[in-house]
Amino acid sequence: MGGFEVLERDGLARRARFETPHGIVETPALLPVVHPDPARQPVSPAEMRVRLGVRAIISSAYITWRTPPLRAEAERSGIHGLLGFDGPVMTDSGAFQQHAYGSVEVGPEEILAFQNTIGSDIATVLDRFTEPEAEHDVAAAALDETLARAAAARAARPGLLAVPVQGGLHADLRARSAARASELADVLAVGGVVPLLEQYRFPELARALAAARPGLTPGAPVHLFGTGHPMTFAFAALWGVDLIDSSAYHKFARRGCLLFPDGTVAIDDLREEVCRCALCAEVPLPEVARRPAAERERRIAVHNLLTSMEEIGRVRQAIHDGTIWELAERRATGHPALRAGLEEAKRWPDVFLPTEPASRRAFREISDASRVRPAVVRFRRRIEEYVRDRPLPRRISRVPLRPDYLRRIPVRDREGRPIAWSCETPLGSVPLELIDLYPVGPYLGIEEFADRARHRPPAAVDTELRALEGLDADLDRDWSAEWTELQVRALLALEYGPIVADELAGRLRGERSRRTGRLRTLLGDGRPWFVVGTDGIARPTFFGGGQLVPVLGEGRSRVVVSDDAAPFVARGRSLFARFVTGADPTLVPDQTALLVDRDDALLAIGRLVLAPHEMPRLARGVAARVTAHAAAPIAAEDAEAPGSPDARPE
Ligand code: GUN
Ligand code: ZN
């Protein structure tokens, strides 16, 4: 029950499938809030499904329970019958209404039993809503009660259960709440944040999420209560939020406000047709403004849902593309409060780094703040370590030198003393031999366009090199062999440490691309051991992996495969999370690992989808995709890998 499978991810953000009794929810998903009273609901759930592509909704069990005719109908035909929706329905317990209106009519057992009765797909514990202002002792007492109720609810609930994560702005309480919810819940519902969202207090929201994050199990979807504005969806996804609810589409419509991913527009101010979504194309917005109140509200609500559904689609696409940071930064330019929230997010790199991928296809600078993304923090840390191991007198080049010129770079001065070259880049000073690595290699920022340094002709660089004081080198000499050796060692040192690099580098020869001058292949005895990607990372071939096993320390770069899956992985099948019995905890998603059996025999080379700490906690899904393997591939007819009918082709 409640299978949760991560398909793709970009840092904490993930595209996943969450199974409910009424079907699968593809996440990140937007669950519009539906009022159980059809008279108070501007768009019917049926219309949402057909016209807007809504797959799942959330409604209030509490309002249903306290309104006799609704309650009677729900008891008779279930919540799906009441709402006229046969997809997944999550219900909320009324904690928020009880908090906001101060009523305490229903008890936790009663509202849970009611959610069971009406056939809710995901029932929510009646939590104690904690205001951001709550003092520690007040928040702690409320949390204890929420957790006691959650434990009781778990025992009384056979189906999917959402456990709210409270704790106000107290980091220790958020962490405890998240950890305990992770033991009890099928859905981890971060609550108590509506005031933060409504008052645009995004830095505090970021701190609450940062505090909760390490405690949240990767094995269950995370819901964020009250994230209605589409402007915030990318921000939420960035923190690993999988389920978003929206009552904003309706609340804003009541006030005559149109939602867009980059902000809000009051319809009465409109003189132009700023939206031509399917609905606004039918009746131009300035005219909608003049329609009778009910129609006007309805039309705005549908527009708001359309833009919200579109935005959640963009979020999912961004996760696929590996551009969730770009999208979040672009959205943050829409409002200074959101920008402040994103800046706060960047103060918590260690929350992001365990799941931050080894590389992405691109790195595009949206603003100056792009230069402190977690990917850059990791890169800087690794460079510091690298330079610490290799202290040399440095020569700074302000020009990011391109590979064309690299063969002209001397690695020794005239007296034969080694020179370390370093480039000043927008991401800080980078040893020249590492200049092709992600994120600095694929980095695209305004410098690229503002000054044409990277496109300067070689002659200009020659002059620059000659001009550097103290270096009177013969620049007609071809330095490429020595330079290449240095670069090969550097790539290995960064990936496997200086000892392994020293061990292997002497046995390898680097081959460059004729077209770009970049390192492409590292060969030993004429065979490729490593292939260098466009992200500048040297990834082992199967043969190269075999050379690494004896020189890498025990467990390093390894993922250990259980006996029953080993034969299939050896023949090229993806490694499913539940067949992992151990993994080097320093590995990260998208990194290349050695997939070995229990005796450390190499089965395959794989690219990780999951971080090591996630593998034991995800019952479903692929932990690593095999890129090279030991044995002949499995023929289609005997492809019965254990538990692999859900295997997708590479
Ligand atoms: N809706 C908005 N915020 C909350 C919350 O903290 N708990 C519950 N149960 N529902 C909410
Ligand atoms: Zn529109």
Side-chain angles (χ1 to χ4, degrees), residues 275-277 280 285 303 307:
C275 181
R276 289 179 184 271
C277 76
C280 301
L285 281 171
H303 157 93
T307 55

Side-chain angles (χ1 to χ4, degrees), residues 421-434:
W421 291 86
S422 190
C423 263
E424 288 310 310
T425 80
L427 302 185
S429 173
V430 177
L432 189 53
E433 60 270 32
L434 298 176

Side-chain angles (χ1 to χ4, degrees), residues 232-250:
T232 64
F233 294 175
F235 181 77
L238 193 75
W239 287 97
V241 169
D242 307 290
L243 302 171
I244 285 171
D245 63 65
S246 170
S247 57
Y249 76 96
H250 188 192

